[in-house]
Amino acid sequence: EIYSLRVDSKVTSRFAHTVITSKVVNRANESREATFEVELPKTAFITNFSMSIDGKVYPGIIKEKASAQKEYDAAVSHGQSAGLVKITGRKLEQFQVSVNIAAGSKVTFELTYEELLKRQLGKFELLIKVQPKQLVKHFQIDVHIFEPQGIRFLETDSTFMTNELSQALTKVQSETKAHILFKPTVDQQRVKPELDETLLNGDFIVRYDVERGATAGDIQIVNGYFVHYFAPVEMPVFPKNVIFVIDRSGSMAGRKIEQTRDALLKILQDLRPEDHFSFITFNSKVVEWKSSLLQATAENVASATGFVQTLSASGGTDISQALLTAVGMLDKAEELPERSVSMIILLTDGQPTSGENNVEVIQESIQKAIKGKYALFCLGFGFDVSYKFLEKMSLSNGGIARRIYENADAALQLQGFYHEVATPILMKIEMQYPENAVEGLTKNNFKLFFEGSEIIVSGKISNELDLLPVEIKAQTHTSDLTLKEEANVKEKEQIFQNQSYIFGDFIERLWAYLTIQQLLEKSVSAQEEDQKALEAEALKLSLQYSFVTPLTSMVVTKPVGHQQTEIANKPTEAG
């Protein structure tokens, strides 16, 4: 029986630190298995776990993956279960551990994870999965947000809320702080008064955005580490030249091609009149809808709509030729707006089977052809794609990869992705800091900036610095932009000093989190020897800051009489 379940989340300047504590008692008169099962965002890193049984604490220890695996393999030979973490959905992974406890005994499980909230379509989202599977006497979700820039709006959303339950939800908000408390009584948790079934099953989501001035972003400093957030507002939009490269091989037949048609019909309506676009469809043959890009006039959009409605699927998959054809079309395009953004959006549900099918050869030839001039976005439909291949291809060419799940809302997922990249407002962004005063700088130049997202740069400042000068250079649709700002280090440090619930070194941990994420991302498209160096650096930081990343594992040791060791690894989208 879980008699207490608490979720405490502290979000300080987008960095979220969440602690889930579950207290379980065995009310039976014989020993029973107690299970702790929670789902956490894929983007988060676990940083801590412990079980305390009758006062004795069993901590999880974070080690390099290889050495943890050795310990585990030794234990496995004594009959052992699989890892503790697995991917359970689009945004979540599940951590699960069980332990035997004696009659009348109590156990407290505590899991801590951290993540940097990413701005998408103008919002930050904190996702908390709620699934106690039973009525819980003391249940509460406690979220504290502190955003020095000011909170522009705040909303909560939940997949299980009822009128009755919403009475257990309170929100208190000031200019820079918010406190959200959800504390339903046992009666409020019931599906029906006479049933011991819980309503609490699903997502509890907090969404918000911050206030932004029209300056060179916002800099925050704690203990010699800084973070710089930049998301300009009210900028002119770049016209875009976009080629949709659509897989119509046999495996796309039926529902997938229907959903693709639905999404493309909506996307056509969202093109701006100054955009240029075209379609290339492929199976073992590559077909160009038109021999060049067309402007998105009402007439051309109507003609494209007719074409999209006829899309059907059969045959093989020649990804290589389809992409090379798209690059060729952009290369020879004339009459495109002088300052515009060119991109290729590939949608495929499988592996290359026709034409060139060696993924390494394809990656190389596409990168050579694109030469950094266009952004390539790869959408993998379902689980038969080689996600690794798509991810490497897009990251090597200034884009991103995304998995589209084969569900009823696949068309909405495709549209949602398009909206994220539909509004480029800056190109060639350089975030510049004084070289002699800043070290450990995270990525500080970016090819494109899309409205609704946010650029984040973090680093360490040398001790002597009183003022941190920053300069941002970028291209807008109409001009070249230079923004300058100076941050007063002492004043900035002051902001966080009086905040009781801030965990002190949060910007340093944010810096480590961001650096690890970027090193891992870079290693995806790096050559082998560089890959090793990048991974070694990411491993060092993962161990130093105790993050469970794809390079580390957490070893959980249980009381005597159990299978002694279990392992928590970080699963990745590429598997």
Side-chain angles (χ1 to χ4, degrees):
E1 179 192 329
I2 303 171
Y3 63 92
S4 165
L5 184 59
R6 279 189 68 130
V7 181
D8 283 291
S9 230
K10 293 181 170 50
V11 185
T12 311
S13 183
R14 343 271 200 268
F15 195 61
H17 174 93
T18 302
V19 184
I20 299 178
T21 311
S22 172
K23 297 184 175 182
V24 180
V25 61
N26 178 6
R27 300 211 190 274
N29 44 19
E30 57 191 11
S31 69
R32 287 274 167 91
E33 195 167 62
T35 298
F36 175 66
E37 180 185 293
V38 294
E39 292 186 44
L40 60 143
K42 289 178 184 176
T43 42
F45 290 151
I46 291 172
T47 65
N48 211 335
F49 170 73
S50 68
M51 297 183 283
S52 42
I53 303 169
D54 296 334
K56 186 170 185 326
V57 177
Y58 300 86
I61 312 283
I62 294 175
K63 302 186 172 181
E64 181 188 359
K65 202 169 195 171
S67 62
Q69 198 59 45
K70 269 194 203 113
E71 273 184 51
Y72 180 60
D73 290 342
V76 169
S77 55
H78 306 112
Q80 201 64 24
S81 64
L84 303 173
V85 186
K86 60 176 194 283
I87 289 184
T88 50
R90 297 180 191 183
K91 294 184 176 178
L92 296 164
E93 57 194 37
Q94 183 192 67
F95 176 93
Q96 185 180 9
V97 67
S98 301
V99 61
N100 246 327
I101 53 171
S105 277
K106 290 180 177 175
V107 55
T108 299
F109 298 101
E110 187 177 281
L111 179 75
T112 306
Y113 59 84
E114 291 176 344
E115 65 178 318
L116 182 57
L117 303 181
K118 196 173 162 198
R119 188 166 182 251
Q120 275 180 318
L121 300 173
K123 295 174 182 167
F124 299 101
E125 180 175 290
L126 177 74
L127 169 62
I128 295 167
K129 182 78 176 182
V130 180
Q131 222 173 5
K133 296 181 177 168
Q134 53 174 273
L135 300 172
V136 178
K137 189 174 176 189
H138 303 288
F139 177 93
Q140 77 173 46
I141 296 176
D142 204 4
V143 179
H144 284 269
I145 299 172
F146 174 51
E147 287 289 350
Q149 281 168 274
I151 297 171
R152 194 174 67 77
F153 84 91
L154 174 84
E155 60 183 24
T156 56
D157 192 2
S158 147
T159 52
F160 54 78
M161 205 53 79
T162 58
N163 284 344
E164 180 82 352
L165 275 175
S166 62
Q167 291 165 14
L169 178 68
T170 53
K171 274 189 282 197
V172 182
Q173 195 180 336
S174 68
E175 196 182 331
T176 56
K177 290 184 188 173
H179 177 210
I180 293 155
L181 180 65
F182 178 54
K183 199 175 177 181
T185 62
V186 170
D187 283 340
Q188 286 171 322
Q189 293 169 40
R190 288 179 201 275
V191 174
K192 293 193 177 120
E194 66 281 5
L195 287 179
D196 278 353
E197 264 178 65
T198 177
L199 286 164
L200 306 183
N201 182 8
D203 299 341
F204 184 83
I205 299 165
V206 179
R207 292 192 193 93
Y208 72 93
D209 196 18
V210 300
E211 296 286 0
R212 288 182 179 79
T215 56
D218 186 73
I219 293 174
Q220 300 175 14
I221 302 171
V222 172
N223 297 342
Y225 283 80
F226 80 90
V227 59
H228 184 183
Y229 296 112
F230 180 53
V233 285
E234 288 161 25
M235 292 267 172
V237 178
F238 277 102
K240 47 183 195 305
N241 316 309
V242 57
I243 299 182
F244 297 96
V245 180
I246 306 297
D247 183 340
R248 56 181 171 89
S249 61
S251 53
M252 284 287 289
R255 194 169 174 208
K256 284 193 229 173
I257 200 82
E258 273 170 38
Q259 291 172 317
T260 303
R261 283 198 302 257
D262 291 347
L264 290 174
L265 292 171
K266 296 257 180 12
I267 288 168
L268 279 169
Q269 298 307 313
D270 288 337
L271 289 169
R272 291 189 173 77
E274 62 277 11
D275 291 342
H276 286 70
F277 74 102
S278 195
F279 289 100
I280 289 172
T281 63
F282 68 96
N283 46 23
S284 42
K285 287 207 295 286
V286 174
V287 177
E288 298 172 82
W289 169 56
K290 297 281 192 243
S291 56
S292 60
L293 287 102
L294 297 188
Q295 195 173 342
T297 60
E299 194 182 346
N300 287 337
V301 166
S303 160
T305 299
F307 165 74
V308 166
Q309 283 164 335
T310 65
L311 278 183
S312 62
S314 64
T317 312
D318 190 346
I319 292 177
S320 178
Q321 195 50 48
L323 285 173
L324 290 170
T325 306
V327 176
M329 192 184 282
L330 283 168
D331 281 344
K332 61 176 203 280
E334 292 153 6
E335 318 214 337
L336 294 180
E338 193 180 324
R339 282 195 179 224
S340 58
V341 170
S342 296
M343 54 175 87
I344 297 169
I345 299 179
L346 166 73
L347 173 68
T348 179
D349 74 334
Q351 321 255 1
T353 58
S354 308
E356 179 56 67
N357 57 17
N358 177 325
V359 292
E360 264 124 40
V361 175
I362 298 176
Q363 277 154 0
E364 245 167 75
S365 67
I366 300 301
Q367 199 170 347
K368 268 202 195 98
I370 289 182
K371 297 191 197 69
K373 293 179 295 196
Y374 320 125
L376 171 63
F377 297 96
C378 296
L379 304 179
F381 207 146
F383 282 88
D384 296 332
V385 291
S386 164
Y387 192 82
K388 234 188 184 122
F389 160 61
L390 297 179
E391 183 177 47
K392 183 169 180 176
M393 231 173 15
S394 40
L395 290 175
S396 309
N397 295 292
I400 55 170
R402 186 69 61 80
R403 196 186 295 282
I404 301 295
Y405 292 83
E406 291 184 49
N407 293 74
D409 68 341
L412 287 170
Q413 295 174 58
L414 288 166
Q415 273 169 265
F417 171 79
Y418 172 76
H419 284 154
E420 284 176 51
V421 298
T423 319
I425 54 176
L426 292 179
M427 271 171 94
K428 299 184 180 150
I429 306 110
E430 288 178 40
M431 314 279 283
Q432 298 172 341
Y433 309 86
E435 267 174 41
N436 51 358
V438 167
E439 54 178 317
L441 196 62
T442 60
K443 180 178 158 120
N444 68 327
N445 46 38
F446 304 84
K447 277 188 176 172
L448 292 171
F449 175 78
F450 298 102
E451 194 173 72
S453 65
E454 180 172 61
I455 283 174
I456 306 177
V457 181
S458 183
K460 285 181 254 201
I461 311 171
S462 65
N463 305 338
E464 298 72 62
L465 212 60
D466 296 328
L467 289 174
L468 174 64
V470 306
E471 182 170 80
I472 301 174
K473 291 191 153 132
Q475 293 179 1
T476 74
H477 176 37
T478 47
S479 62
D480 288 354
L481 184 71
T482 304
L483 299 169
K484 291 185 177 177
E485 177 90 64
E486 273 190 331
N488 180 316
V489 177
K490 294 254 183 318
E491 278 176 22
K492 289 286 181 188
E493 291 254 6
Q494 214 53 54
I495 294 175
F496 292 99
Q497 274 162 0
N498 325 333
Q499 303 304 328
S500 54
Y501 60 76
I502 303 311
F503 42 112
D505 56 353
F506 90 93
I507 292 186
E508 183 176 344
R509 293 193 67 78
L510 181 160
W511 167 82
Y513 172 98
L514 190 57
T515 304
I516 292 166
Q517 293 275 36
Q518 290 179 357
L519 287 165
L520 292 171
E521 195 167 289
K522 235 168 139 177
S523 79
V524 169
S525 57
Q527 299 300 324
E528 203 172 324
E529 50 277 22
D530 299 340
Q531 212 165 17
K532 288 201 167 64
L534 292 164
E535 287 184 354
E537 180 62 19
L539 171 64
K540 199 179 92 186
L541 287 170
S542 302
L543 291 169
Q544 187 182 338
Y545 290 94
S546 77
F547 285 128
V548 178
T549 69
L551 302 169
T552 51
S553 297
M554 185 165 65
V555 179
V556 176
T557 306
K558 297 183 179 181
V560 181
H562 278 77
Q563 299 168 333
Q564 286 290 284
T565 317
E566 291 201 277
I567 270 190
N569 286 329
K570 171 100 187 136
T572 61
E573 194 59 66

